[in-house]
Amino acid sequence: MATPRLGRALTTCPNCLGRLPLARPTATQVLPSPLQQLTQVRHARTLTKAELEDLQGIPVRLLKNIAGFGKQHSIIRVKPGRMRNQWHHKGLAEYMTKKRFTELGLTEAAIGVRDRTFGTKLLDEEDGDSQKIVTNEPVKTKKKETIVMTADESRALLQDLLPKVLVFARKPIAAPEPAKDPEPVVSRNFALAANAQVSTQTAAEAAAVPEQPQQDTKAIFGSVAPTDVVARIREALLADSNGSRVSFEAEAVSILGLEAGEDRIKRLGVYEVEIVTGKGLEPVRRTVEVVPETD
């Protein structure tokens, strides 16, 4: 049996390698350029589920700004159920048929993609990793409707719950002490003392100043305004479960016995107030007493 013929080993001599025949490209074969050899080829990015949904559906034209979809007059694709059940009967969007495209002078190339960030803003959390979407539209909250009592019922409730006297404590303004006259200097010489006494009396008569009106000792710091009276009335109405149903403002409270041009109490004393609950009804009268504030 003949022994197998061993292949010739590839030489490693540089001179021998230079004499080896090189394969030449044919006429139809194009060698890649060095730039193409260094170019990195990336695979196409796959679309997400949300992006695929935005490319599917029927074309519609938004008639109003819709948060999370786009602004007015945008043409996008949405699911038929959303258009039929939510938007079309509310006038939020219209169907874009071929006839409608022709009327607007547009083609299907005008169909865009839903803008999920329209009408929203992204707020970074403290950790900086997670984000949440907050809409710019104001949140509508349902207000609890309160049934207001009639004027007659409000007047009867005020008569029952309000005390006869409403007491307010205010700090009085202290009156300044009058200046004392200096004591005359008595000289040891009897002749000079007599002359000095006459001179002192003459100077006192010449410098006599008419008495100034006494300062009002009942003046107080701050005042008692109708709003203060309203606040005190509301505190008294809290004793009844129906007190919150009484509706009146500061304009319904009038303070009697004030000087011309004044609308609030600025002095210590006793005053009368009237509370009007309705037109044609007799006002509720109470006494307001302003007393000095104790430390």
Side-chain angles (χ1 to χ4, degrees):
M1 181 176 179
T3 58
R5 186 177 180 180
L6 298 177
R8 185 177 179 181
L10 183 63
T11 179
T12 58
C13 178
N15 295 330
C16 297
L17 290 175
R19 291 195 296 268
L20 291 176
L22 298 177
R24 296 182 179 180
T26 61
T28 59
Q29 184 179 2
V30 180
L31 293 177
S33 63
L35 182 61
Q36 292 178 348
Q37 295 177 0
L38 298 177
T39 303
Q40 182 180 4
V41 179
R42 295 183 179 181
H43 296 283
R45 185 179 67 88
T46 57
L47 299 178
T48 62
K49 183 179 179 181
E51 292 175 342
L52 289 175
E53 291 179 357
D54 296 342
L55 298 176
Q56 299 173 357
I58 59 175
V60 298
R61 178 170 172 264
L62 303 182
L63 301 179
K64 294 182 180 179
N65 295 338
I66 302 179
F69 287 89
K71 61 181 180 180
Q72 187 179 7
H73 305 310
S74 299
I75 301 177
I76 59 175
R77 291 184 179 273
V78 295
K79 294 182 179 180
R82 182 186 298 276
M83 180 61 180
R84 180 178 61 254
N85 301 326
Q86 300 180 15
W87 288 0
H88 186 258
H89 67 281
K90 295 181 181 179
L92 299 178
E94 64 175 351
Y95 289 98
M96 288 300 295
T97 59
K98 293 183 178 180
K99 181 179 179 181
R100 188 57 178 158
F101 273 109
T102 305
E103 292 175 355
L104 297 177
L106 301 174
T107 61
E108 292 186 358
I111 302 176
V113 182
R114 168 186 175 182
D115 187 2
R116 294 180 177 270
T117 61
F118 177 77
T120 61
K121 58 182 179 180
L122 296 177
L123 297 179
D124 294 335
E125 297 289 343
E126 295 181 357
D127 54 2
D129 297 334
S130 59
Q131 293 180 336
K132 63 179 180 180
I133 298 179
V134 180
T135 58
N136 292 331
E137 298 180 356
V139 180
K140 297 181 180 180
T141 57
K142 294 183 179 180
K143 295 183 179 180
K144 185 178 180 181
E145 296 182 357
T146 304
I147 302 176
V148 181
M149 300 180 66
T150 62
D152 294 334
E153 294 174 344
S154 299
R155 185 181 183 280
L157 193 61
L158 289 175
Q159 288 282 16
D160 296 339
L161 297 180
L162 284 185
K164 298 298 181 181
V165 180
L166 303 176
V167 181
F168 294 88
R170 294 293 186 270
K171 185 177 180 180
I173 300 176
E177 297 181 358
K180 297 181 179 180
D181 297 334
E183 296 181 357
V185 180
V186 180
S187 177
R188 295 183 179 180
N189 192 333
F190 295 101
L192 295 177
N195 294 334
Q197 185 177 3
V198 174
S199 301
T200 303
Q201 293 178 357
T202 306
E205 293 175 358
V209 180
E211 295 183 358
Q212 297 181 355
Q214 296 182 355
Q215 187 174 358
D216 188 3
T217 57
K218 295 185 178 181
I220 59 175
F221 288 100
S223 62
V224 178
T227 53
D228 300 324
V229 179
V230 171
R232 186 62 57 84
I233 294 174
R234 294 192 185 279
E235 291 178 2
L237 292 177
L238 293 177
D240 192 274
S241 58
N242 294 325
S244 59
R245 297 172 55 192
V246 178
S247 176
F248 66 95
E249 301 297 335
E251 291 77 8
V253 178
S254 302
I255 303 177
L256 307 179
L258 298 178
E259 297 182 1
E262 292 185 352
D263 60 347
R264 59 191 62 200
I265 302 173
K266 298 181 180 180
R267 297 171 185 82
L268 301 176
V270 180
Y271 302 86
E272 295 288 333
V273 295
E274 290 183 350
I275 307 166
V276 180
T277 58
K279 188 176 181 180
L281 296 178
E282 184 179 356
V284 179
R285 290 178 175 268
R286 287 294 183 269
T287 301
V288 172
E289 184 178 358
V290 183
V291 299
E293 184 179 7
T294 57
D295 297 336

